[in-house]
């Protein structure tokens, strides 16, 4: 007779491939799924009644800045509470390692309030995450801006010299050897703005033997977005197994509607080169508070401010007015600071999310005192608001965008699907109840309807609370490639 450690019985199983739901039991043994189907004859240590519930693979948050959160707050409640079981870290060119040898770079405050304590190498970073035993799994990209800051110090307003490019390539190579799965860049941001396409192309060639991915926060997400997409594609072609356009969106009123154009452009390119993109389900973006972004936003909220922590959550225009200064002067007084920018068109967000190449990524910033609600709400919002309530796409399609599709794109072998032999990263949700509760006023609320979350066979979230189990693992490149071979 067959025996399971945990039997999730009688649920509607959505396997992550996009296939329709079907009624099935899911047997978990150790850290893996042992069987899927009619398993009434099995015995089990523990039974979870899934009648009336939907069982899906655990969600993969493909766009995060959780590098340091994994050891600063390893419970990772903001993610497991919405069903996320794996996060991809190191996005937007900013990875927690390698980190500048002489510290003092404000940019790293996007990741942690204590940038001086960040590990020096990717190897050390991955070990530190392992040691912290986070509640969920994590895979890492090496950030181009981090490479630049490590090699060029604070002298970032110029193109790197050939010898500096060589050093960046060496650091990337070391990172890939240690287990990173690819490279990210953030050519939009000051540490990388001066980098040329050629600088990135030369660095990206290191990805080829490693089968690494390339993820890009593009140089421009507004008027010049088509040129920025072409630059991203060219860098990806230099060596990446897969190119990912990060948080695809269009900023500014005058670019509203242009996702028709960008998606057509992306689709043409995808016919000749492996390509995907991620998107978060909101019309507001969030990053450092920057003067350059003010013009395109209709409204700006302060997410955090080092000199004025008490103003987190306040409207920038109201702050400026109360101080009797202009918006730019207010930004100067508040910096270093984070901002939330209302700058997108709802129609574009929907069109982008609906596209078959779209994956879901939160882009949440866990250190923000008053974060963008995407940190806590992204996945439940796609499932409850956009799929069920707005009927933008069916539930199996929504689930595929956060499980099977990203697992393929990032090469996460054994993740993102419900099948015998796959890892037991699972979510049980109530499809009629699932919804995000985090909003712009109260952004740190757990979602509703996510009833059980399992990571590597252990339950980490049950009935609205974390169980305290922390079975997460670092997903290292070589192990993923080996598993792809044997699995
Ligand atoms: Zn970004
Ligand atoms: Cu990002």
């Amino acid at each position: 007779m067959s025996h399971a450690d945990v039997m999730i019985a009688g649920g509607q199983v959505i396997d992550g491939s996009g296939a329709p739901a079907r009624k099935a039991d899911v047997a978990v043994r150790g850290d893996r799924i042992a069987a899927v189907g009619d398993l009434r004859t099995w015995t089990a240590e523990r039974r979870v009644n899934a009648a009336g519930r939907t069982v899906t693979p655990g969600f993969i948050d493909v766009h995060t800045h959780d590098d340091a959160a994994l050891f600063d707050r390893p419970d990772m409640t903001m993610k497991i509470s919405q069903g996320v079981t794996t996060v991809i870290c190191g996005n937007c060119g900013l990875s927690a390692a390698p980190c500048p040898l002489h510290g003092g770079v404000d940019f790293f405050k996007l990741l942690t309030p204590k940038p001086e304590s960040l590990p020096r190498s990717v190897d050390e970073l991955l070990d530190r995450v392992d040691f912290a035993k986070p509640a969920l799994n994590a895979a890492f990209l090496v950030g181009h801006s981090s490479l630049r800051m490590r090699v060029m110090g604070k002298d970032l307003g110029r193109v790197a010299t050939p010898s500096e490019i060589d050093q960046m390539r060496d650091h990337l190579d070391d990172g890939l050897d240690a287990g990173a799965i690819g490279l990210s860049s953030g050519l939009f941001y000051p540490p990388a703005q001066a980098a040329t396409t050629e600088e990135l192309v030369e660095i990206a060639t290191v990805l080829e033997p490693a089968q690494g991915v390339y993820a890009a926060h593009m140089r421009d997400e507004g008027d010049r977005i088509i040129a920025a997409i072409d630059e991203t594609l060219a860098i990806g072609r230099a060596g990446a197994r897969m190119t990912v356009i990060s948080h695809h969106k269009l900023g500014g009123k005058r670019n509203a509607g242009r996702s028709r154009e960008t998606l057509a452009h992306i689709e043409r390119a995808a016919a000749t080169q492996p390509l995907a993109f991620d998107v978060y389900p909101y019309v507001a973006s969030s990053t450092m508070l920057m003067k350059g972004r003010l013009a395109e936003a209709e409204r700006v909220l302060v997410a955090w401010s080092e000199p004025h922590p008490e103003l987190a959550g306040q409207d920038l225009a109201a702050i400026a007015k109360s101080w009797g200064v202009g918006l730019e002067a207010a930004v100067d007084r508040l910096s270093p600071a984070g901002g939330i920018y209302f700058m997108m068109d709802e129609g574009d967000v929907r069109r982008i999310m609906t596209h078959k190449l779209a994956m879901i990524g939160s882009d949440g910033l866990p250190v923000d005192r008053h974060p963008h609600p995407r940190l806590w709400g992204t996945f439940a919002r796609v499932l409850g608001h956009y799929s069920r309530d707005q009927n933008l796409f069916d539930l199996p399609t929504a689930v595929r965008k956060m499980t099977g599709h990203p697992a393929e794109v990032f090469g996460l072998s054994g993740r993102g699907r419900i099948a015998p032999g796959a890892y037991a990263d699972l979510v049980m949700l109530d499809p009629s109840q699932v919804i995000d509760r985090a909003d712009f006023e109260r952004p740190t609320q757990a979602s509703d309807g996510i009833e059980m979350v399992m990571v590597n066979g252990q339950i980490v979230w049950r009935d609205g609370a974390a169980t305290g189990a922390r079975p997460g693992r670092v997903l290292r490149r070589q192990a993923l490639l080996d598993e792809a071979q044997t699995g």
Side-chain angles (χ1 to χ4, degrees):
M1 176 174 306
S2 301
H3 183 78
D5 294 328
V6 184
M7 180 67 73
I8 302 168
Q12 290 291 323
V13 171
I14 292 179
D15 69 6
S17 70
R22 65 180 175 112
K23 190 171 180 207
D25 306 315
V26 179
V28 175
R29 198 187 293 137
D31 62 355
R32 304 265 185 169
I33 295 169
V36 183
D38 183 347
L39 307 176
R40 266 174 296 190
T41 58
W42 284 48
T43 56
E45 219 63 54
R46 179 169 181 187
R47 274 179 188 276
V48 176
N49 178 8
R53 303 294 183 259
T54 297
V55 182
T56 74
F59 307 143
I60 298 168
D61 188 347
V62 296
H63 191 105
T64 85
H65 297 283
D66 293 340
D67 308 38
L70 289 162
F71 46 82
D72 282 347
R73 40 203 283 202
D75 56 278
M76 296 295 288
T77 305
M78 72 287 193
K79 293 293 165 76
I80 61 169
S81 61
Q82 48 180 325
V84 173
T85 57
T86 298
V87 293
I88 311 277
C89 302
N91 279 284
C92 298
L94 182 69
S95 53
C99 152
L101 292 176
H102 304 295
V105 184
D106 281 346
F107 197 40
F108 283 89
K109 289 185 178 154
L110 274 172
L111 298 180
T112 174
K114 305 164 288 188
E116 58 290 344
S117 70
L118 287 175
R120 292 290 176 252
S121 68
V122 174
D123 199 25
E124 214 182 303
L125 171 66
L126 270 46
D127 283 348
R128 194 182 293 188
V129 172
D130 266 336
F131 187 74
K133 298 198 190 310
L136 44 59
N137 306 309
F140 292 80
L141 302 168
V142 178
H144 165 247
S145 291
S146 300
L147 294 171
R148 266 194 143 225
M149 289 184 275
R150 171 60 167 263
V151 170
M152 300 167 71
K154 290 186 178 176
D155 187 16
L156 298 163
R158 59 177 177 83
V159 181
T161 65
S163 113
E164 286 165 341
I165 290 176
D166 270 347
Q167 292 173 59
M168 287 193 258
R169 290 164 52 98
D170 286 347
H171 281 295
L172 173 57
D173 216 17
D174 288 349
L176 294 165
D177 273 351
I181 60 168
L183 170 72
S184 81
S185 65
L187 293 171
F188 164 80
Y189 287 109
Q193 265 161 13
T196 56
T197 310
E198 291 66 41
E199 176 179 323
L200 266 298
V201 161
E202 287 192 44
I203 295 170
T205 57
V206 172
L207 294 171
E208 186 153 15
Q211 299 181 51
V213 296
Y214 169 56
H217 179 151
M218 300 193 294
R219 202 182 285 276
D220 192 291
E221 296 179 315
D223 298 353
R224 295 166 52 82
I225 191 166
I226 296 293
I229 293 172
D230 287 340
E231 177 178 46
T232 302
L233 296 170
I235 296 166
R237 281 195 302 273
R241 182 181 60 74
M242 172 64 77
T243 301
V244 178
I245 295 172
S246 295
H247 43 59
H248 185 34
K249 60 176 169 294
L250 286 129
K253 264 213 178 74
R254 65 179 175 275
N255 291 305
R258 285 188 66 203
S259 60
R260 287 187 193 88
E261 183 190 342
T262 58
L263 292 172
H265 196 75
I266 288 168
E267 223 171 283
R268 275 194 297 277
T272 61
Q273 115 181 56
L275 187 58
F277 54 85
D278 58 80
V279 56
Y280 50 80
Y282 299 87
V283 294
S285 68
S286 181
T287 182
M288 301 288 281
L289 194 56
M290 296 160 86
K291 292 181 204 170
R293 279 240 156 148
L294 299 179
E296 59 190 25
E298 281 161 54
R299 185 180 169 216
V300 179
L301 297 178
V302 175
W304 58 273
S305 162
E306 208 167 83
H308 292 283
E310 75 285 0
L311 296 178
Q314 306 281 311
D315 191 291
L316 178 68
I319 295 170
K321 197 172 166 208
S322 77
W323 285 347
V325 302
L327 290 182
E328 300 213 339
V331 169
D332 281 336
R333 285 202 206 174
L334 289 161
S335 293
I340 294 170
Y341 307 82
F342 291 82
M343 50 168 265
M344 285 171 249
D345 175 67
E346 175 72 23
D348 282 322
V349 173
R350 288 167 182 246
R351 198 174 296 116
I352 290 168
M353 208 184 326
T354 307
H355 194 276
K356 64 177 185 296
L357 296 178
M359 306 178 287
I360 306 302
S362 72
D363 202 8
L365 298 167
V367 296
D368 286 9
R369 188 175 161 126
H370 188 92
H372 187 302
R374 65 194 184 186
L375 177 66
W376 286 74
T378 289
F379 291 83
R381 182 170 171 80
V382 171
L383 297 168
H385 177 66
Y386 281 112
S387 173
R388 182 193 57 228
D389 296 345
Q390 304 281 311
N391 213 6
L392 211 52
F393 30 70
D394 62 19
L395 196 56
T397 302
V399 170
R400 180 179 179 275
K401 290 174 182 296
M402 42 185 83
T403 59
H405 185 205
E408 276 165 35
V409 166
F410 288 92
L412 306 180
S413 317
R415 310 277 169 188
R417 65 203 166 90
I418 294 184
Y423 287 99
D425 292 348
L426 296 166
V427 172
M428 181 175 84
L429 59 88
D430 183 338
S432 69
Q433 295 299 316
V434 63
I435 198 71
D436 55 313
R437 288 286 169 220
D439 58 23
F440 289 96
E441 279 68 48
R442 293 171 310 151
T444 60
Q445 317 273 325
S447 300
D448 280 350
I450 303 291
E451 298 188 344
M452 195 266 311
V453 181
M454 180 182 273
V455 174
N456 295 317
Q458 293 188 46
I459 296 175
V460 297
W461 182 263
R462 185 78 169 117
D463 298 331
T467 62
R470 293 193 346 219
R473 296 175 191 162
V474 174
L475 307 182
R476 286 180 169 80
R477 188 183 61 85
Q478 196 58 55
L480 292 168
L481 290 174
D482 291 348
E483 175 130 4
Q485 291 267 305
T486 57

